């Protein structure tokens, strides 16, 4: 039963804190050097047009370092793309070479087997097949 009392006390303390927190504006220290006019939540969200345009003008300018980084990144992407294409081309050449080599070996083997059969076939007996 002690844990139910502790839970009830915790819930009551939480409700008490939440009910009085609406009177507190914020936990940060306010700067009272310039007075602000309060018009509710709208004054906190919306800023004057001059301040907004100055903010976006200031944020719109980018340093030359940004453009240098962009150019370097484009160069790196281009180099990696070129390297990828070269590797793919080399792989295709090697695969074609292997295929031609395999075909040539198979053709030589087939010719050798054919010559062996012709040489050993005397024409008197039918060829022996494994299946009957």
């Amino acid at each position: 039963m002690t844990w139910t009392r502790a839970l009830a006390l915790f819930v009551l303390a939480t409700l008490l804190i939440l009910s009085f927190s609406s009177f507190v504006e914020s936990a940060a220290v306010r700067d009272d050097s310039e007075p602000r006019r309060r018009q509710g939540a709208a004054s906190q969200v919306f800023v004057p047009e001059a301040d907004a345009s100055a903010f976006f003008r200031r944020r719109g300018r980018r340093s030359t370092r940004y453009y240098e980084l962009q150019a370097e990144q484009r160069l790196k992407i281009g180099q990696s793309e070129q390297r990828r294409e070269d590797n793919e081309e080399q792989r295709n050449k090697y695969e074609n070479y292997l295929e031609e080599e395999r075909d040539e070996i198979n053709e030589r083997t087939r010719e050798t087997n054919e010559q062996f059969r012709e040489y050993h076939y005397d024409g008197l007996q039918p060829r022996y097949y494994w299946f009957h």
Side-chain angles (χ1 to χ4, degrees):
M1 288 292 177
T2 59
W3 63 272
T4 55
R5 288 182 186 167
L7 182 64
L9 185 63
F10 175 73
V11 169
L12 279 174
T14 306
L15 287 175
L16 185 66
I17 290 171
L18 289 176
S19 65
F20 284 117
S21 67
S22 63
F23 296 116
V24 178
E25 287 186 19
S26 80
V29 177
R30 287 190 357 200
D31 184 19
D32 291 331
S33 62
E34 59 181 73
R36 289 187 152 179
R37 48 195 164 120
R38 290 279 172 205
Q39 297 176 357
S43 67
Q44 294 175 353
V45 174
F46 298 105
V47 294
E49 184 179 350
D51 292 344
S53 64
F55 173 78
F56 284 117
R57 232 179 307 138
R58 197 170 52 245
R59 300 294 284 178
R61 287 189 219 122
R62 295 213 165 122
S63 67
T64 55
R65 181 71 184 142
Y66 170 79
Y67 295 108
E68 291 172 1
L69 288 174
Q70 292 286 65
E72 288 176 11
Q73 191 173 16
R74 280 194 300 271
L75 281 175
K76 286 180 183 178
I77 290 172
Q79 289 171 351
S80 66
E81 187 69 29
Q82 182 69 33
R83 191 169 35 249
R84 191 177 304 119
E85 289 174 2
D86 290 345
N87 288 340
E88 186 177 347
E89 185 179 338
Q90 286 180 354
R91 186 173 50 245
N92 288 340
K93 283 181 182 178
Y94 184 68
E95 287 175 357
N96 290 339
Y97 165 76
L98 284 181
E99 187 176 346
E100 289 175 6
E101 193 69 25
R102 234 179 271 123
D103 290 346
E104 189 176 326
I105 290 172
N106 287 340
E107 181 68 22
R108 274 192 258 137
T109 305
R110 188 185 61 76
E111 287 176 0
T112 304
N113 288 341
E114 220 171 86
Q115 289 173 357
F116 184 77
R117 282 193 205 109
E118 286 176 5
Y119 179 76
H120 290 288
Y121 181 63
D122 58 359
L124 299 176
Q125 298 173 349
R127 291 187 181 166
Y128 179 77
Y129 295 102
W130 285 99
F131 56 93
H132 291 282

